[in-house]
Amino acid sequence: TRNIYIGQTDPDINSGSRYDLVIDCNGDPAAAEGNTKRLNLGCASSKLGSRDLRKSLGKVHAFVSANLASDPSQSLLVTCESGRDLSVGTVLTILCLFYDENGIIPR
């Protein structure tokens, strides 16, 4: 795809100025309440976080459906503490659920 990015959680990303949508795997869910362009999953770190992530995949599905289905050109940043763990699993889930083999969301 040309619009999904993976990164390490960074407090400066909270403004959302560089990305249309943000999913923070470790972020506090209460901090993103009311923000339709941000989803904080509240997953723990490392191995404990993978179990939390599995429980949160329904939220990821709903968030991506609500936002990218209406405008697939929006940029989406997915972050976690390391930028190499939960964020990668989340992006793989999004790719499998929403994108075709050409990296496009079919309509």
Side-chain angles (χ1 to χ4, degrees):
T1 72
R2 293 186 172 117
N3 63 327
I4 294 184
Y5 304 90
I6 295 174
Q8 191 172 10
T9 300
D10 180 354
D12 294 335
I13 294 172
N14 289 334
S15 66
S17 60
R18 289 185 57 198
Y19 303 95
D20 299 313
L21 307 167
V22 176
I23 297 174
D24 183 346
C25 296
N26 303 113
D28 178 11
E33 278 185 26
N35 185 346
T36 60
K37 300 296 182 180
R38 182 176 185 88
L39 175 64
N40 289 354
L41 298 176
C43 297
S45 299
S46 64
K47 298 231 184 251
L48 293 175
S50 64
R51 181 178 25 173
D52 294 338
L53 179 60
R54 283 191 299 276
K55 293 177 182 177
S56 298
L57 290 178
K59 293 176 189 175
V60 171
H61 187 276
F63 179 79
V64 173
S65 290
N67 289 289
L68 286 184
S70 62
D71 182 3
S73 68
Q74 293 185 88
S75 60
L76 170 62
L77 172 66
V78 181
T79 67
C80 70
E81 209 170 63
S82 69
R84 298 179 307 232
D85 189 16
L86 300 177
S87 56
V88 174
T90 303
V91 166
L92 286 173
T93 300
I94 292 168
L95 289 172
C96 291
L97 290 173
F98 294 98
Y99 287 81
D100 66 14
E101 63 275 354
N102 297 314
I104 299 170
I105 297 176
R107 294 199 182 236

